[in-house]
């Protein structure tokens, strides 16, 4: 290759947009941690990248979901993602079970994944300890997730810290498959936001704010909470007996640190700017009022748009159908490539 064509190839590669894939489960109520740790970043970066955002209903049923509830949560989550700013012209937003290649790829990848790799997954250990009966699906969950990511040749996987181990497993599975059968997969990278990666519970700042505990009073700010409820939850947030408003990794100050972190991510300010904003604050009461204020200000327009989408189910269905079509157009040829590599015959398509 001449230097000239080398440079041109390089330029073409940098011009080629990187592919982003992430997933979110339609179970439990979407809470502020999901928004600040995941959705907000997806929205802000959707212009720069080629994006796939998947509502992972196959993952959701790894623990029992009431069917009616799952149906509602899936539509509700879709409405929330669009309301938060994901745009169908810029991002492919779709439901996992609408694209058959997800379940199919999981099977093939199961067959190259050693059991020992799955036995090491810390989320499985945590989740299975909380279940009376543990499904095979829960154990296999990370392989399904690897399929999600690998089908789209994803370069980047933006997730919270809790999902890092699963993305690393997806890398290992990709490398192993490529070695055994030939290069099929891009090896993806986890993208973990520094701050906002972990929004902690309001009632206990030592545990992560979670959809699974969103029903416990005072734990989470839920995306659909009314302003009064948000104010109540933030005002009751557990802090400490001191009075210093500062970012800190001292576990005793975890409550204040969490409130400041939330304020920082919502306002897009730097740490010194945040501290400057609170230099005149009189105590934690005022800190909480101002945090509640910025949270309410950010969530109110999202809630308004959410209800507009929920009031127009036909439009929501059209948007999801378009997402599924776009996702299928990428995932099906990739699945065919996988099948060819492992030695399956491909059915004749008309
Ligand atoms: P989940 O609620 O577990 O389906 O998570 C959906 C996405 O939100 C994942 O990328 C999580 O890492 C992220 N996420 C969930 N809870 C939090 C939290 N408290 N802080 C930051 N990110 C979170
Ligand atoms: N397991 C992820 C979670 O609970 C959701 C998920 C499923 C996902 N498939 C994915 C995230 C692919 C990123 C990429 O948060």
């Amino acid at each position: 290759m001449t230097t000239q064509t080398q440079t041109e190839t390089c330029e073409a590669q940098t011009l080629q947009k990187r592919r982003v894939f992430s997933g979110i489960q339609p179970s439990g109520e979407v809470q502020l941690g999901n928004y600040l740790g995941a959705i907000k970043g997806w929205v802000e970066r959707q212009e720069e990248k080629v994006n796939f955002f998947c509502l992972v209903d196959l993952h959701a049923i790894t623990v029992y979901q009431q069917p009616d509830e799952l149906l509602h949560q899936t539509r509700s989550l879709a409405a929330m993602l669009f309301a938060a700013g994901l745009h169908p012209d810029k991002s492919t937003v779709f439901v996992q079970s609408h694209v058959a290649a997800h379940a199919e790829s999981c099977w093939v990848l199961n067959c190259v994944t050693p059991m020992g790799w799955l036995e090491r997954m810390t989320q499985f250990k945590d989740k299975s300890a909380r279940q009376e009966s543990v499904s095979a699906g829960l154990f296999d969950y990370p392989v399904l997730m690897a399929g999600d990511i690998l089908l789209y040749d994803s370069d980047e996987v933006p997730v919270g810290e809790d999902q890092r181990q699963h993305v690393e497993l997806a890398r290992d599975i990709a490398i192993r498959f490529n070695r055994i059968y030939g290069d099929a997969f891009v090896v993806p990278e986890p993208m973990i936001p520094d701050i906002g990666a972990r929004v902690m519970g309001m009632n206990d700042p030592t545990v992560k704010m979670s959809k699974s505990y969103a029903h416990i009073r005072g734990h989470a700010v839920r995306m659909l909470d009314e302003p009064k409820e948000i104010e109540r939850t933030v005002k009751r947030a557990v802090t400490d007996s001191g009075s210093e408003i500062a970012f800190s990794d001292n576990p005793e100050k975890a409550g204040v640190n969490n409130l400041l972190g939330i304020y920082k991510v919502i306002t897009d300010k730097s740490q010194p700017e945040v501290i400057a904003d609170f230099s005149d604050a009189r105590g934690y009461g005022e800190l909480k009022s101002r945090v509640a204020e910025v949270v309410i200000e950010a969530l109110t327009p999202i809630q308004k748009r959410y209800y507009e989408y929920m009031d127009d189910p036909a439009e929501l269905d059209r948007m999801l159908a378009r997402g599924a079509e776009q996702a299928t157009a990428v995932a099906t040829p990739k699945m065919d490539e996988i099948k060819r590599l492992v030695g399956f015959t491909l059915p004749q398509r008309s």
Side-chain angles (χ1 to χ4, degrees):
M1 210 189 280
T2 65
T3 321
Q4 164 114 35
T5 47
Q6 251 170 357
T7 322
E8 278 166 10
T9 317
C10 250
E11 277 170 4
Q13 274 165 357
T14 37
L15 282 177
Q16 213 178 35
K17 289 187 177 177
R18 285 170 69 79
R19 287 196 174 193
V20 175
F21 188 101
S22 199
I24 182 162
Q25 297 201 43
S27 55
E29 283 177 83
V30 184
Q31 39 81 15
L32 192 64
N34 297 125
Y35 179 61
L36 298 182
I39 303 166
K40 183 171 184 281
W42 301 351
V43 171
E44 285 167 359
R45 286 184 293 276
Q46 64 181 335
E47 308 270 351
E48 307 151 26
K49 316 269 165 93
V50 176
N51 312 282
F52 297 90
F53 297 114
C54 185
L55 286 73
V56 292
D57 53 354
L58 302 177
H59 278 103
I61 62 161
T62 55
V63 294
Y64 176 74
Q65 306 291 319
Q66 265 205 314
D68 288 352
E69 193 55 20
L70 179 61
L71 205 68
H72 169 74
Q73 294 288 5
T74 306
R75 309 183 63 82
S76 168
L77 177 59
M80 181 56 73
L81 295 180
F82 291 125
L86 289 183
H87 194 286
D89 288 343
K90 299 176 195 158
S91 298
T92 297
V93 178
F94 69 104
V95 178
Q96 192 182 28
S97 65
H98 293 184
V99 181
H102 289 258
E104 273 188 289
S105 63
C106 177
W107 182 256
V108 178
L109 298 178
N110 273 333
C111 300
V112 300
T113 306
M115 291 270 285
W117 289 6
L118 297 181
E119 279 158 2
R120 283 202 294 274
M121 294 294 112
T122 57
Q123 193 177 69
F124 174 73
K125 289 185 206 168
D126 290 351
K127 281 196 183 175
S128 57
R130 283 188 263 132
Q131 306 292 319
E132 246 175 60
S133 133
V134 178
S135 71
L138 188 64
F139 184 64
D140 202 31
Y141 171 121
V143 182
L144 180 62
M145 179 163 162
D148 297 344
I149 297 168
L150 301 179
L151 279 172
Y152 296 86
D153 287 338
S154 314
D155 301 292
E156 300 173 10
V157 185
V159 283
E161 183 60 48
D162 59 321
Q163 295 297 317
R164 184 196 290 277
Q165 197 185 30
H166 291 160
V167 181
E168 277 163 3
L169 182 84
R171 287 173 62 87
D172 291 340
I173 294 176
I175 293 167
R176 190 172 163 94
F177 184 97
N178 288 349
R179 189 165 45 75
I180 299 174
Y181 290 109
D183 272 343
F185 297 129
V186 170
V187 180
E189 273 173 63
M191 304 292 280
I192 318 279
D194 296 341
I195 313 240
R198 266 171 92 82
V199 175
M200 309 308 281
M202 292 285 163
N203 61 341
D204 179 357
T206 62
V207 303
K208 201 186 79 159
M209 188 181 284
S210 163
K211 282 202 224 116
S212 331
Y213 307 131
H215 59 281
I216 297 171
R217 249 183 134 209
H219 169 75
V221 171
R222 291 161 302 189
M223 291 301 283
L224 295 174
D225 281 347
E226 293 189 358
K228 279 236 156 346
E229 179 75 23
I230 296 176
E231 206 177 334
R232 204 175 312 138
T233 309
V234 176
K235 287 211 160 153
R236 285 204 194 133
V238 169
T239 47
D240 56 90
S241 55
S243 60
E244 196 198 353
I245 300 178
F247 287 97
S248 155
D249 48 21
N250 175 354
E252 275 179 26
K253 306 282 292 179
V256 168
N257 193 62
N258 190 36
L259 291 170
L260 288 173
I262 290 170
Y263 183 91
K264 178 179 182 298
V265 182
I266 289 196
T267 59
D268 288 316
K269 291 187 176 178
S270 67
Q271 281 203 6
E273 284 170 333
V274 172
I275 294 305
D277 279 2
F278 289 103
S279 60
D280 62 340
R282 291 175 308 267
Y284 294 163
E286 196 170 333
L287 166 69
K288 290 175 177 177
S289 304
R290 295 223 220 139
V291 171
E293 215 172 283
V294 295
V295 173
I296 292 166
E297 211 174 277
L299 299 198
T300 303
I302 297 178
Q303 294 178 350
K304 185 169 167 286
R305 287 192 294 272
Y306 167 87
Y307 289 113
E308 286 165 7
Y309 282 116
M310 289 303 275
D311 281 345
D312 191 354
E315 174 62 9
L316 200 56
D317 283 344
R318 268 193 298 275
M319 290 165 90
L320 289 176
R322 179 177 164 194
E325 201 179 311
Q326 282 169 240
T328 303
V330 179
T332 305
K334 192 75 197 178
M335 197 60 226
D336 282 352
E337 186 187 343
I338 297 168
K339 289 177 181 171
R340 238 179 258 116
L341 283 169
V342 300
F344 292 169
T345 56
L346 291 183
Q348 205 86 69
R349 289 208 183 94
S350 48

